[in-house]
Amino acid sequence: MTPGHLAVTLGVLAALALAALVFAVATGSTEVSLQESLVALAGGGEALSRTLILELRLPRALAAFATGGLLAVAGALMQVLLRNPLADPYVLGLSGGAAVGALLAMLAGLGSALISGSAFAGALTATLLVFGLAHGTGSWTPSRLLLTGVVVASGWGAVITLILSLSPARQLPGMLYWLMGDLAHARAPGAALGLLALVCLLVVPLGRSLNVLARGGLQAAALGVAVRRLEWLIYLLASLVTAVAVTTAGSIGFVGLVVPHMLRLVLGNDQRLILPACALAGGTLLVLADTLARTIIAPEQLPVGVITALLGVPTFLYLLHRSR
């Protein structure tokens, strides 16, 4: 991979992401032309248009971009760690663990920072649980990993059902909608965007080591890679970005499965390119999915998790068929 190839590829993806963001802020139940949207983004135009664009649609679009990018990067990291294209924060139960931690913190009346911390603890617990059970005393296989992840995710689902059953009735509608993936109340995307940029800056220099790790732990250790340290770093990063994504937008599935797979078909398997490309493409996908979710039956809105599931389930079944 040459620097020129990297720059051109990421430049194209960045342009597509920018176009998706502009399209998102210009689209909705209230008609705003593309020209009016651009003027409002520049700080001009009518007060009503500026309020609609800058205070409602733009923060939501940026939150969708950050959430999609975080989930795609988490999926790519998990696939490297477990050497399995079926690995995904949602399928393997990370999103479920993060959701349990966040719901418990919400019921306890904790602040947003402690909710994120609880979600991180839940996601890390899920990661270690799936990895430990799938690995056992030997090495894991794709079927063992998939089965373990499905069982752990089902367990988290049972815990979530228990929490909802014991929750006050006034909180149930909001909690249920949030669990299906909801960006309607995402108004402060700064932390998620900052984390996405920080994670990309951190993992891109590790791209060469991740490429070696993807071939196997023994080969990586033989070539001088600190395998255990790198694995723990991936555990922590995947858990952290999943937790922030879940606290921002709820439990959204399959973004971490679809985006890395599609990019590998087009760009190859060099993690130095795949990981930043996942951040851009994952964000673009969720921005477009959220735009569709809030406009397809406007003025009513669908949970964005419904749209991503409709995209992800066929992709998951296709990958499962190929992995036979």
Side-chain angles (χ1 to χ4, degrees):
M1 180 192 65
T2 64
H5 180 229
L6 175 64
V8 170
T9 303
L10 296 182
V12 171
L13 290 174
L16 291 175
L18 182 60
L21 288 170
V22 173
F23 175 72
V25 300
T27 305
S29 55
T30 301
E31 292 293 334
V32 180
S33 68
L34 179 60
Q35 182 178 0
E36 290 174 329
S37 300
L38 293 174
V39 171
L41 288 173
E46 299 179 358
L48 180 60
S49 296
R50 289 200 306 272
T51 300
L52 178 64
I53 297 298
L54 299 179
E55 297 183 16
L56 295 176
R57 291 184 183 174
L58 182 60
R60 177 168 178 164
L62 291 175
F65 180 83
T67 301
L70 289 171
L71 290 173
V73 169
L77 288 173
M78 292 301 295
Q79 289 164 19
V80 169
L81 176 65
L82 302 177
R83 294 179 284 284
N84 191 327
L86 297 173
D88 166 75
Y90 185 81
V91 174
L92 296 180
L94 271 72
S95 295
V100 168
L103 287 174
L104 290 175
M106 291 176 187
L107 289 177
L110 303 180
S112 58
L114 291 176
I115 290 175
S116 297
S118 297
F120 170 66
L124 182 59
T125 300
T127 304
L128 297 177
L129 191 59
V130 170
F131 182 83
L133 291 176
H135 193 280
T137 57
S139 60
W140 62 73
T141 63
S143 58
R144 182 190 296 177
L145 173 69
L146 179 60
L147 180 60
T148 304
V150 169
V151 171
V152 170
S154 299
W156 290 125
V159 175
I160 289 172
T161 302
L162 177 63
I163 293 172
L164 294 176
S165 300
L166 300 176
S167 300
R170 67 180 184 278
Q171 293 181 266
L172 279 179
M175 294 170 71
L176 285 171
Y177 211 80
W178 175 78
L179 284 170
M180 291 185 287
D182 182 22
L183 285 155
H185 303 289
R187 294 288 180 266
L193 286 170
L195 178 63
L196 179 61
L198 181 62
V199 168
C200 288
L201 290 175
L202 180 62
V203 298
V204 169
L206 297 174
R208 191 179 300 276
S209 297
L210 292 172
N211 286 337
V212 178
L213 181 63
R215 298 177 178 272
L218 292 178
Q219 294 91 325
L223 293 173
V225 175
V227 174
R228 185 58 58 188
R229 185 185 306 170
L230 186 58
E231 287 179 342
W232 273 106
L233 179 61
I234 295 175
Y235 290 150
L236 295 174
L237 285 178
S239 301
L240 177 61
V241 298
T242 301
V244 172
V246 168
T247 53
T248 301
S251 186
I252 297 174
F254 299 108
V255 174
L257 176 72
V258 173
V259 174
H261 175 66
M262 294 303 177
L263 289 176
R264 287 192 188 98
L265 291 178
V266 177
L267 303 177
N269 203 29
D270 191 337
Q271 303 305 318
R272 293 171 294 179
L273 176 58
I274 289 295
L275 288 169
C278 280
L280 293 170
T284 302
L285 174 64
L286 199 58
V287 168
L288 295 176
D290 183 57
T291 303
L292 179 62
R294 62 183 173 83
T295 57
I296 191 171
I297 56 171
E300 300 297 325
Q301 299 184 19
L302 291 173
V304 68
V306 173
I307 306 298
T308 59
L310 291 174
L311 294 173
V313 169
T315 304
F316 179 81
L317 294 175
Y318 168 71
L319 289 174
L320 186 60
H321 175 74
R322 284 190 59 189
S323 68
R324 297 189 307 171

